[in-house]
Amino acid sequence: MRKSILRYTFSYFILLSLSSCKEPCLDVPFIQDKTEELQSWYTDTELTIKNAESSIGISDNVILTHNYHNYGDSIWDDCGNVTQAERSAVRYDFYNFPFTIETDFYKQGEEKGFSLKVNYNTYNASYNFTTLQTSSNNSITYISDYTLNDIVYPDAFKVTFNETQSDTEIKELVLVKGLGIIYILLNEGISINMD
């Protein structure tokens, strides 16, 4: 009798430990909503050149290089759900300004895997679309109804580089949904409008 009780108790604990190893199901509707939100921020692929005009009269043609990568089925759960990872990146190459900027939108698959990362020369700032948090010393802030040159943009991110030191480095830039970067402010106060 005692052996059968021990056997049942042992079997119970094995089943309990196996069932506790099962990972929770992905929140598929949430992931679909966040995917649509993230993709709405992707810079229009038809934008390949932007005109940049500074407040001191220096102008530039900025070349935009788009790079989209769908990583395929990358996250699946024990419930049979599968979600894919993807990355949409745009590189901004300036000729007359000492900048190289890249914006990266990442979907890693799980509920917290939606982010924006802005790389500027050796600096970067990142933002998580799920937690609405910045995860670096530099910051990204969401702005609704951003106004520039009497034009109101309904959705924008302001990126602030708190680590830059030189007067000719970027203090902040503004990224608009679908249009990419439209404004840059240098530490010395010079502004650059991009259209």
Side-chain angles (χ1 to χ4, degrees), residues 164-183:
T164 58
Q165 298 174 14
S166 167
D167 285 348
T168 59
E169 290 185 304
I170 295 175
K171 178 179 182 176
E172 64 184 37
L173 62 82
V174 175
L175 172 78
V176 171
K177 185 182 280 190
L179 298 176
I181 298 170
I182 64 164
Y183 178 78

Side-chain angles (χ1 to χ4, degrees), residues 35-193:
T35 300
E36 289 175 15
E37 178 186 355
L38 185 77
Q39 290 172 345
S40 73
W41 282 93
Y42 292 178
T43 302
D44 185 348
T45 56
E46 293 184 15
L47 291 173
T48 57
I49 297 177
K50 283 193 166 220
N51 297 315
E53 186 70 39
S54 75
S55 58
I56 60 169
I58 298 173
S59 61
D60 203 350
N61 284 330
V62 182
I63 306 299
L64 279 66
T65 305
H66 299 265
N67 183 2
Y68 176 81
H69 189 75
N70 183 336
Y71 294 104
D73 296 340
S74 61
I75 303 288
W76 55 91
D77 63 15
D78 293 337
C79 307
N81 299 312
V82 178
T83 184
Q84 297 178 342
E86 63 188 40
R87 172 181 175 254
S88 179
V90 178
R91 181 181 166 102
Y92 295 78
D93 288 308
F94 294 78
Y95 180 75
N96 291 323
F97 299 102
F99 312 142
T100 299
I101 303 171
E102 185 171 286
T103 59
D104 294 301
F105 289 93
Y106 293 99
K107 174 190 173 193
Q108 294 171 329
E110 69 278 4
E111 289 86 342
K112 293 184 181 178
F114 298 87
S115 61
L116 160 64
K117 186 173 183 181
V118 179
N119 298 301
Y120 154 60
N121 291 354
T122 61
Y123 307 104
N124 66 66
S126 58
Y127 178 83
N128 186 294
F129 280 84
T130 306
T131 63
L132 310 178
Q133 298 285 322
T134 296
S135 60
S136 64
N137 292 334
N138 303 309
S139 64
I140 299 178
T141 309
Y142 172 77
I143 303 171
S144 62
D145 299 327
Y146 177 78
T147 303
L148 180 65
N149 300 327
D150 298 324
I151 299 173
V152 177
Y153 299 94
D155 295 294
F157 281 118
K158 180 171 83 171
V159 182
T160 305
F161 294 101
N162 298 313
E163 299 172 335
T164 58
Q165 298 174 14
S166 167
D167 285 348
T168 59
E169 290 185 304
I170 295 175
K171 178 179 182 176
E172 64 184 37
L173 62 82
V174 175
L175 172 78
V176 171
K177 185 182 280 190
L179 298 176
I181 298 170
I182 64 164
Y183 178 78
I184 296 172
L185 178 66
L186 305 183
N187 283 329
E188 63 188 342
I190 295 173
S191 62
I192 302 168
N193 293 340

Side-chain angles (χ1 to χ4, degrees), residues 7-42:
R7 193 173 338 158
Y8 286 119
T9 304
F10 182 71
S11 297
Y12 172 76
F13 282 117
I14 288 176
L15 285 173
L16 183 63
S17 67
L18 287 176
S19 65
S20 66
C21 291
K22 183 177 178 180
E23 68 181 56
C25 296
L26 293 169
D27 186 345
V28 175
F30 178 83
I31 291 173
Q32 288 172 340
D33 288 345
K34 282 295 176 188
T35 300
E36 289 175 15
E37 178 186 355
L38 185 77
Q39 290 172 345
S40 73
W41 282 93
Y42 292 178

